[in-house]
Amino acid sequence: MALQSSPSQLALANPRHKRRFLALHLPYWPTDYLKRAEPALKNQPLALYERIKGGLRLAALDPEGLQNGLRLGQNLADARAIWPQLTVREIDRPRLEAAFGDFADWHSNASPLVSVMTDVSRFGDLVLDITGVSHLFEGEARMLSKLIIRLRALGYRVSGAIAPTIGAAWAISHFARSQVVGDDNLVTLLDALPVAALRLEEAQLLTLTQMGLKTVGQLRQYPRKPLQARFGASLLIRLDQAFGEIEERMTPRLPLVEYFAERRFADPISLMDDVLRTVHDLAVKLKETLEAQGLGAQAFHLFLYRVDHKVMTLSLNAGRVTRDPDHIADLFHHRSQRLEAEYDPGFGIDMVRLAASSTDRLDAVQTGAFSIEEGTEDIDRLNDRLTSRLGPLAVLRTELVASRLPERAARLVPVQSGAAVPAIAAPVLQRPLKLLPAPEAVAIMAEVPHGLPASMVWRGETYRLVRGQGPERLGGEWWRKGERLKLVEPDPKKPKPYEPALPQFNPDAGTRDYYVVEDQHGSRFWVFRQGLYGSKNPTWYLHGFFP
């Protein structure tokens, strides 16, 4: 299938293109899901209960239970007395919510914009923004029919509707037969529905019934000011949202992708090699559209849609904006090696989608004669491959920090955390290539109090110092908080490094005098004295090593 743009882009490209929403209502989702997840329950009447006000009340029923006189909120003991063959389970709401979230993500194979509607329940209703998408299914009626048929084939009882607003689609899917509604018959259809179709609170519905307002049409004919005074603004907002007077926005579960390419399979695939070959083909299609618009992307997302209404997602970032299909495919290939143990295609994958986001301008680059190769692109590609294979926290770079203290002047950050900021020109200073994680206290002997060190005792060994240079004086940073900082945060899972029982270094203390010293074997050290002679006993520390 050719490259597709997201519905939001299609709508924005044509301001006159009105939005269209598809709502799906699964009234028996809890019991249908459990019967599908546990085949032993498939042919048994099932009810779910929960503890409410110190008693056990029915929280979910299948259609057989409703047909035999049971009702939601009924006492569990009474339900068992009415129907002794009833199978009961305690409801697990977190499990059902998580499963319905995965179920909603799976519907992103029909539209990238999918949201769970939680106005009445945390599960059972979802809405899709199908603006500019229905032509892929040969029209809205065929799209609605296909989504409903495939869900019923999986064992779910479902109804749906397509309408110009989210509120109208929800109302029709709940209180009218599955159908496609246009602007011309929206008002007539909504006026005939009960007021419960507006997603109102139970107290509001009870009061409206007592007032004799049973349908939406009757409610619309009632003066608005008395309604607002009695019910607040929420009732009028729901009414205006249903008729499109106020825009109601959905919150997509998956991030909105700017460009994507997808491929549907007549027969499901399951091998990782087949998935990776498909990713390369989709990357080629993605590159064609991005190149035509002079764009590249830095974030790429892979969606694998399984036939058992589940979707697997995998996202990764590149070090720089790119559209090279070989590089994109290599990134997913290296990441798949880390996730090979977690890969589970289930009963097969019937659709693969590759999406790109975080796009930016990327002009064409000359790669032939007279082109200049700086080598930075090869380094970025290497960093991307290592990050994909080892993880984002395994490949680090040094980032300079505006600080005069050596242990604070640099820090390690992931190479993909952003573009490296060029260092500001600074005076050439003599600094060691290797710093200790934290300066370690040493014993220094000097010929005179402010003279060069003559000998040093570090970790039980004595070093005779034959040469020295300094001092270089650094003042304390009085504007910082009194906290101890290090270049690398220690890993709590690893054993602690050797720490001698010496006085702890205080980075917020006063003046330091740094010296470069060399022992009789040619080894050079970077030591400093913290504190001045005369005020109190100064302390010497070893901070780094020169090559």
Side-chain angles (χ1 to χ4, degrees), residues 52-70:
I52 301 177
K53 298 180 180 180
L56 303 181
R57 310 287 180 179
L58 296 184
L61 287 169
D62 57 13
E64 292 79 7
L66 295 175
Q67 295 172 2
N68 283 271
L70 305 183

Side-chain angles (χ1 to χ4, degrees), residues 271-476:
L271 297 179
M272 177 64 76
D273 292 339
D274 295 337
V275 172
L276 294 177
R277 280 192 290 268
T278 303
V279 169
H280 185 273
D281 295 341
L282 296 179
V284 173
K285 296 181 180 179
L286 200 58
K287 180 245 185 185
E288 294 175 356
T289 296
L290 293 176
E291 187 177 28
Q293 301 188 27
L295 296 176
Q298 200 166 0
F300 300 93
H301 316 276
L302 181 63
F303 302 90
L304 305 179
Y305 295 89
R306 295 173 14 177
V307 297
D308 54 352
H309 68 268
K310 292 184 179 180
V311 57
M312 297 181 291
T313 61
L314 179 60
S315 300
L316 49 81
N317 296 324
R320 63 165 63 186
V321 177
T322 183
R323 56 174 177 254
D324 184 1
D326 294 331
H327 182 53
I328 297 172
D330 286 342
L331 294 183
F332 283 101
H333 175 74
H334 294 310
R335 180 63 63 86
S336 66
Q337 294 178 357
R338 294 182 56 222
L339 304 177
E340 187 175 0
E342 303 176 9
Y343 174 69
D344 180 15
F347 296 102
I349 298 169
D350 59 1
M351 176 177 159
V352 177
R353 175 181 292 164
L354 178 64
S357 61
S358 300
T359 58
D360 199 355
R361 190 72 186 173
L362 182 61
D363 297 326
V365 179
Q366 179 179 355
T367 58
F370 308 108
S371 62
I372 299 176
E373 296 183 1
E374 300 178 351
T376 56
E377 184 175 356
D378 293 336
I379 295 177
D380 290 337
R381 289 174 178 269
L382 175 61
N383 290 333
D384 289 345
R385 290 195 295 268
L386 293 176
T387 300
S388 299
R389 178 171 295 182
L390 304 177
L393 299 180
V395 186
L396 308 175
R397 63 177 172 85
T398 302
E399 181 181 73
L400 299 181
V401 180
S403 176
R404 68 179 64 175
L405 300 183
E407 68 273 9
R408 288 175 172 167
R411 62 183 176 184
L412 298 177
V413 297
V415 293
Q416 293 184 343
S417 61
V421 179
I424 300 176
V428 179
L429 300 175
Q430 191 172 13
R431 292 290 183 266
L433 292 179
K434 180 179 181 181
L435 288 179
L436 290 171
E440 296 185 13
V442 294
I444 293 288
M445 298 294 295
E447 296 179 355
V448 295
H450 289 283
L452 294 174
S455 64
M456 176 180 69
V457 179
W458 175 53
R459 293 187 179 181
E461 294 189 19
T462 302
Y463 300 83
R464 185 169 62 87
L465 306 178
V466 296
R467 294 183 182 85
Q469 181 182 353
E472 175 190 353
R473 179 159 293 180
L474 297 180

Side-chain angles (χ1 to χ4, degrees), residues 201-213 230-231:
E201 300 176 359
E202 294 184 5
Q204 292 175 329
L205 294 175
L206 180 60
T207 304
L208 290 174
T209 302
Q210 295 174 351
M211 295 172 59
L213 302 177
R230 186 160 189 173
F231 297 96

